[in-house]
């Protein structure tokens, strides 16, 4: 079986973010393939540990992917502060003879170094066009766990597990491998907290992750971590602000200082995104629907809300309001295809160091190691979600009562659709098949 077919059959998706199916991404033709090892979200510790534990497998998977897209160069992006991991990667690249193709690119310890468009600029000097994706400037991006899964797919191993960090205001901080479909609560209890009535859980990193609406859900392939904080933590209160509340606060208070725009990571690489203008639309309204499409340029990194705004307003939510309004009206941002992007000349002096961000959002006391654990979760029942990726939900190919084994495909990609296959993460009996999930009892 060709490697692309193996990756497709294995259900490999972006291990983080939106979960874009990797086999679709690898049909592109690119100049560069870039590995996002920045892990810029505070407190998360997956990528840095995976690169230290499985350097050869990750590098080989990355190299395979690079050859598939015809990339002339493969660059691993990692923050310079991870000197020990950088040395491991460089030694491995040299040992397996990939020095003419794979290299390590050093990233500054800033937020959001892991935003794929910031990553592209830092590693190649190229700027992804507004409302565009990296392939538009000749780049394909994947993260370290995805590269590991590409390697595993080449060996016939599907994606049945994912790595997550459990962090926050908890006794036990750890990172571990979790079967896909495991009850989230089983993972959260490893924190040492058993009663969550006084806590809230952020699904993902503290900057971009939303509050987990239901801790009784199930782990999916793209989960990277859970940050557990007390209900009264300022960051939790910030994330609980509703859209009507944000509109009221913004309307009453914004004085158009434009610090949100001056520090916006996308604006700093030359895009016309302007959160302060989004705030102005929220303040005064208007019928300029094309002007409102600036909301579609927001990467939702939350830097404007959690760091830049001196009085704690909600410019990102203003962007999201404009995006929602214009998308519902069918109005799309019109990109100037001939535009030459020029990064802001002051960019280097406006980058936000991670430690300052962590202090601003009140997490300094929790910024501690979360070492890889050898705990092996063995859930008695898993729920494999049919939609845990970009595209159409997987179509079940099993029925209640069927016996399945670990790694067996249980949901396939619909014909002529973008999607990803799903596989059994435990062996046992299929107990339920719905339009949302397949349940398997050990």
């Amino acid at each position: 079986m060709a490697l692309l077919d193996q990756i497709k059959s294995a259900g490999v998706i972006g291990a983080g973010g939106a979960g874009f199916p990797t086999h679709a991404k690898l049909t592109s033709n690119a100049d560069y393939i870039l590995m996002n090892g920045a892990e810029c979200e505070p407190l998360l510790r997956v990528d840095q540990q995976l690169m230290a534990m499985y350097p050869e497998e990750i590098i080989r998977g990355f190299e395979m992917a690079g050859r598939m897209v015809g990339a002339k160069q493969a660059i691993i992006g990692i923050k310079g502060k991870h000197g020990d991991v950088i040395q491991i990667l460089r030694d491995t690249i040299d040992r397996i003879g990939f020095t003419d193709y794979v290299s390590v690119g050093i990233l500054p310890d800033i937020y959001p170094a892991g935003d794929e468009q910031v990553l592209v600029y830092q590693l190649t000097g190229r700027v992804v066009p507004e409302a565009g994706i990296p392939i538009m400037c000749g780049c394909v991006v994947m993260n370290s766990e995805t590269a590991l899964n590409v390697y595993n797919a080449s060996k016939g191993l599907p994606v049945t597990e994912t790595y997550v960090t459990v962090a926050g205001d908890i006794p036990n901080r750890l990172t571990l491998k979790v079967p896909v479909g495991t009850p989230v609560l089983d993972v959260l209890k490893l924190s040492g907290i058993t009663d969550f009535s006084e806590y809230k859980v952020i699904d993902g990193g503290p900057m971009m992750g939303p509050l987990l609406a239901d801790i009784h859900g199930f782990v999916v392939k793209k989960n990277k971590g859970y940050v557990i904080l007390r209900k009264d933590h300022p960051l939790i209160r910030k994330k609980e602000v509703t859209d009507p509340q944000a509109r009221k606060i913004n309307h009453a208070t914004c004085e158009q200082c434009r610090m949100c725009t001056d520090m916006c990571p996308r604006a700093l690489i030359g895009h016309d995104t302007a959160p302060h203008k989004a705030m102005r639309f929220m303040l005064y309204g208007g019928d300029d629907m094309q002007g409102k499409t600036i909301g579609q340029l927001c990467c939702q990194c939350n830097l404007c809300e959690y760091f830049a705004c001196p009085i704690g307003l909600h410019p990102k939510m203003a962007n999201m309001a404009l995006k929602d309004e214009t998308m519902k009206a069918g109005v799309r941002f019109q990109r100037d295809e001939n535009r030459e992007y020029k990064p802001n000349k002051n960019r280097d002096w406006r980058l936000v160091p991670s430690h300052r961000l962590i202090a601003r959002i009140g997490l300094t006391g929790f910024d501690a190691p979360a070492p890889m654990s050898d705990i092996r979760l063995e859930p008695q029942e898993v729920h494999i979600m049919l939609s845990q990726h970009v595209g159409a939900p997987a179509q079940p190919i099993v029925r209640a009562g069927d016996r399945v084994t670990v790694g067996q495909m249980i949901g396939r990609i619909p014909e002529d659709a973008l999607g990803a296959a799903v596989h059994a993460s435990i062996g046992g009996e299929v107990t339920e098949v719905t339009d949302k999930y397949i349940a398997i009892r050990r």
Side-chain angles (χ1 to χ4, degrees), residues 141-202:
V141 180
M142 64 169 51
N143 74 8
S144 60
E145 188 174 345
T146 303
L148 177 61
N149 287 336
V150 167
Y151 174 83
N152 289 337
S154 75
K155 302 299 181 182
L157 301 174
V159 180
T160 61
E161 298 172 309
T162 188
Y163 291 85
V164 298
T165 293
V166 182
D169 187 4
I170 56 176
N172 305 322
R173 301 178 184 93
L174 73 161
T175 301
L176 75 161
K177 183 165 57 176
V178 180
V180 173
T182 296
V184 170
L185 192 56
D186 288 2
V187 181
L188 298 180
K189 286 181 177 179
L190 297 174
S191 67
I193 305 293
T194 55
D195 179 4
F196 288 89
S197 60
E198 296 302 317
Y199 292 85
K200 290 285 188 177
V201 181
I202 300 171

Side-chain angles (χ1 to χ4, degrees), residues 21-50:
T22 301
H23 70 271
K25 183 178 287 190
L26 296 183
T27 59
S28 306
N29 291 308
D31 298 324
Y32 295 96
I33 188 166
L34 309 175
M35 186 189 298
N36 188 347
E39 198 160 43
C40 64
E41 277 277 14
L43 308 189
L44 300 190
R45 303 286 188 263
V46 171
D47 290 332
Q48 57 197 265
Q49 295 191 77
L50 284 185

Side-chain angles (χ1 to χ4, degrees), residues 12 37 57 106 189 227 229 259 275 295 305 407:
V12 181
E57 293 88 341
I106 306 302
K189 286 181 177 179
V227 177
L229 297 172
M259 286 184 67
E305 292 209 9

Side-chain angles (χ1 to χ4, degrees), residues 1-12 23 64 68 149-159 409 421 423:
M1 185 185 296
L3 179 56
L4 189 65
D5 292 329
Q6 289 179 303
I7 294 169
K8 184 176 182 179
S9 178
V12 181
H23 70 271
M64 291 175 191
M68 289 179 67
N149 287 336
V150 167
Y151 174 83
N152 289 337
S154 75
K155 302 299 181 182
L157 301 174
V159 180
M409 186 184 293
H423 303 76

Side-chain angles (χ1 to χ4, degrees), residues 32 34 73 75 106-107 116-129 134 137-139 268-270 340-344 347:
Y32 295 96
L34 309 175
Q73 191 173 359
I75 307 174
I106 306 302
L107 300 171
E116 65 177 11
Q117 298 195 11
V118 173
L119 183 86
V120 166
Y121 179 71
Q122 289 289 158
L123 295 179
T124 71
R126 298 183 179 187
V127 175
V128 178
C137 65
C139 299
L268 289 175
I269 61 173
E340 181 181 350
Y341 294 94
K342 296 181 179 180
N344 190 296
R347 179 178 183 271

Side-chain angles (χ1 to χ4, degrees), residues 233-254:
H233 191 282
L235 183 61
I236 298 299
R237 294 204 300 266
K238 190 87 170 177
K239 288 183 178 290
E240 289 179 325
V241 173
T242 64
D243 182 66
Q245 289 171 330
R247 288 176 181 270
K248 186 175 182 179
I249 294 168
N250 289 350
H251 189 275
T253 316
C254 180

